[in-house]
Amino acid sequence: MSTSRRVLLIRSGLCLATAAAPTLVRAAAPLAVIVGTGCKLDSVSKAELKRLFLGETDNISGNVLVPFNMAASLPERSIFLKAVLGMTPDQESKYWIDRRIRGQGGSPKSAPNIDALLKVAAKFPKAITYVPATLTKPDVKVLRVEGKLPTDAGYSLVG
């Protein structure tokens, strides 16, 4: 591999395991579950998140919440589906089709990108969503999941 190609790969954030057998590595950042700073909720369980994002409830600890998903094309959505809902993207699609057929409502709204989700969480008092923990901003509140923040050891929303 040429030096200029190696430099380009390094600048692109890609790592080479060895020169003979290159391997692309992408470390997944933990996902932070966020709400607006005015929300009284500080902590949530994975079971509560699952019920909320599956449309089984709109209330967690007396807080009425509206879930917002990432766009289906973003890899973090698959991480959330697996970690919280225990589903693959195909299973989630089938779940929502079945609910619509039965007249039980539709899936959570989704936003096209992470910036849009951050804006929704900051401006819409009842919104709850998830974003990579490294991208949170001061105008949103990061909730504890199972009593832990994304920076804590053993945090469960990691890809």
Side-chain angles (χ1 to χ4, degrees):
M1 178 180 292
S2 71
T3 303
S4 61
R5 174 115 169 101
R6 197 172 297 129
V7 169
L8 177 62
L9 287 174
I10 291 169
R11 285 187 181 161
S12 298
L14 302 174
C15 298
L16 293 176
T18 67
T23 304
L24 302 180
V25 178
R26 180 179 178 219
L31 296 177
V33 176
I34 60 170
V35 293
T37 55
C39 182
K40 296 183 190 306
L41 196 62
D42 291 316
S43 184
V44 65
S45 70
K46 283 173 62 174
E48 290 169 323
L49 283 173
K50 182 175 182 174
R51 290 185 24 245
L52 185 68
F53 277 84
L54 289 178
E56 297 172 359
T57 188
D58 66 353
N59 191 311
I60 296 178
S61 302
N63 295 277
V64 176
L65 298 167
V66 177
F68 284 83
N69 265 326
M70 286 193 170
S73 61
L74 297 175
E76 291 87 357
R77 170 120 172 219
S78 292
I79 293 168
F80 184 83
L81 290 176
K82 182 180 177 185
V84 175
L85 305 185
M87 294 180 171
T88 65
D90 285 343
Q91 290 170 325
E92 182 205 24
S93 293
K94 290 174 185 173
Y95 174 84
W96 290 111
I97 289 169
D98 184 59
R99 281 188 55 99
R100 273 187 240 119
I101 289 170
R102 297 174 189 269
Q104 297 174 323
S107 62
K109 303 274 187 234
S110 64
N113 56 52
I114 294 167
D115 286 336
L117 286 171
L118 287 164
K119 288 177 186 172
V120 166
K123 304 259 186 240
F124 184 50
K126 296 181 181 184
I128 184 169
T129 190
Y130 52 93
V131 298
T134 56
L135 300 178
T136 60
K137 297 185 178 184
D139 55 354
V140 298
K141 182 193 317 186
V142 176
L143 299 181
R144 292 180 180 278
V145 177
E146 302 295 340
K148 296 183 179 190
L149 290 169
T151 53
D152 294 342
Y155 184 73
S156 60
L157 297 186
V158 180

